[in-house]
Amino acid sequence: MPLNHVLRLYTIMDDPRVSGEKVAAYLKEVSPHADVDISRVDGEKGSTDFVKVHVRGRHGRSAGGSAPTMGIIGRLGGIGARPERTGFVSDGDGALAAMSAAAKLLDMQERGDFLDGDVILTTHLCGNAPTQPHDPVPFMGSPVDILTMNHYEVDPAMEAILSIDTTKGNQITNHKGIAVTPTVKEGYVLRVSEDLLFLYSQSTGILPVTLPITTQDITPYGNGVYHINSILQPAVATQSPVVGVAITAQAAVAGCATGATHLEDVEQAARFSIETAKAYGEGNCQFYNEEEFALLEKLYGKMTHLQTLGKEAALK
């Protein structure tokens, strides 16, 4: 279980002086061979550190093998809203889960347990991000825009992606724990993966819980329409299938709320992601049915226009 890494990384991240270098130092403490890249990016409202961890599999692409590469993205605006709010905010759970999963995978390798496929884990860390209005509760903003986030977090090598994001600021999924979304690929909202539902029950010990999404949720931020949150924003920047792993609550909780992180739920998200990475690299987990997707495109055409800002943006 990655719980010990969740606890250690929470202590590191719940700090006004949090940085990508401090998280990288912990990962290299876990494994001296850790492959970690840090990129500090400045925006109009401050700066943030993007972190990318590449965990190589024994039969992965990086070793010249045929096992596919899975991506795990910790999606968020910021892990802190200082000076407006003091402490680690609810929105930071995605970053904590992704980096905890990275630490556990590295720990496993040090003990001799290697996955078949490569896993690339990304997130960003900002301890003083802005907040923004949103119904029913306020969101966290970010010092950089979503295009910048996708540039650093969505790696072209990712052949399937889990996007972990705190999704408590809604009245749609009233469950404390995690929930998975339908698969999104190139503008299509596909059916929920049966393989992922099995892995959900296997790792959590309960019946699967899903997060309903709409067409609006899979379009890019900045087009003026309502989004449940940014959980599926990686889907606008890739042809690979993307599934959201939502960290949820029974009540609507603001993304900028402090004291609202439940470490057992973060650990659950990290553990589910690790189990998915194991199965995906082994060829035992499909995010979508390729034949069904090909038939949909044959019948109804491409839907990639939903990955853009739309007609009005194209005319500007």
Side-chain angles (χ1 to χ4, degrees):
M1 294 175 67
L3 182 58
N4 59 321
H5 299 298
V6 173
L7 292 169
R8 287 288 303 277
L9 283 164
Y10 178 79
T11 302
I12 292 168
M13 291 184 183
D14 186 17
D15 185 335
R17 297 171 298 279
V18 64
S19 68
E21 294 294 341
K22 290 184 178 181
V23 170
Y26 175 71
L27 296 176
K28 290 178 181 178
E29 177 184 327
V30 173
S31 171
H33 308 103
D35 182 355
V36 187
D37 290 326
I38 308 296
S39 300
R40 173 157 292 189
V41 178
D42 296 318
E44 293 182 0
K45 299 179 180 180
S47 64
T48 191
D49 286 356
F50 286 94
V51 184
K52 177 182 292 186
V53 187
H54 194 161
V55 182
R56 290 171 170 77
R58 56 187 166 188
H59 303 304
R61 306 294 191 196
S62 61
S66 59
T69 300
M70 201 183 86
I72 299 174
I73 299 175
R75 278 292 314 119
L76 71 158
I79 63 174
R82 299 173 181 89
E84 185 177 342
R85 301 290 176 93
T86 302
F88 190 90
V89 298
S90 176
D91 199 44
D93 292 1
L96 180 57
M99 292 298 98
S100 298
K104 177 59 177 178
L105 289 170
L106 292 168
D107 192 4
M108 289 166 58
Q109 287 195 343
E110 287 298 309
R111 298 165 187 261
D113 277 340
F114 288 79
L115 273 59
D116 278 0
D118 294 352
V119 185
I120 301 173
L121 305 98
T122 62
T123 194
H124 75 100
L125 306 169
C126 177
N128 54 357
T131 61
Q132 64 185 51
H134 188 270
D135 289 327
V137 290
F139 267 1
M140 285 294 297
S142 173
V144 297
D145 60 38
I146 196 67
L147 292 177
T148 302
M149 291 186 206
N150 280 341
H151 173 75
Y152 285 95
E153 293 178 347
V154 182
D155 192 296
M158 297 173 174
E159 297 171 67
I161 296 172
L162 291 182
S163 175
I164 309 173
D165 198 351
T166 308
T167 312
K168 302 174 185 176
N170 66 84
Q171 301 179 81
I172 305 300
T173 297
N174 309 120
H175 163 78
K176 181 182 178 298
I178 64 172
V180 296
T181 71
T183 300
V184 177
K185 177 173 167 61
E186 298 180 80
Y188 274 97
V189 178
L190 306 174
R191 63 189 176 112
V192 180
S193 165
E194 297 285 342
D195 292 338
L196 290 177
L197 293 179
F198 171 78
L199 289 167
Y200 181 107
S201 290
Q202 180 176 269
S203 62
T204 64
I206 63 173
L207 292 172
V209 178
T210 58
L211 173 72
I213 56 172
T214 67
T215 302
Q216 294 171 219
D217 297 321
I218 68 168
T219 60
Y221 268 20
N223 60 1
V225 303
Y226 178 91
H227 296 74
I228 189 168
N229 66 358
S230 66
I231 191 167
L232 289 166
Q233 287 303 292
V236 308
T238 181
Q239 295 180 340
S240 299
V242 179
V243 170
V245 180
I247 299 175
T248 55
Q250 284 188 339
V253 178
C256 58
T258 57
T261 291
H262 303 274
L263 298 182
E264 67 275 19
D265 298 339
V266 174
E267 190 274 339
Q268 197 173 80
R271 182 156 36 89
F272 169 75
S273 300
I274 292 168
E275 293 305 310
T276 301
K278 291 179 188 177
Y280 182 72
E282 294 166 356
N284 295 325
C285 175
Q286 300 300 317
F287 277 51
Y288 73 106
N289 184 298
E290 293 183 9
E291 292 182 0
E292 284 185 358
F293 182 74
L295 178 58
L296 279 170
E297 288 201 321
K298 180 180 178 181
L299 292 172
Y300 302 107
K302 295 280 188 181
M303 297 291 282
T304 51
H305 59 281
L306 290 171
Q307 294 178 287
T308 73
L309 288 171
K311 293 180 179 179
E312 289 189 11
L315 294 174
K316 291 180 181 178

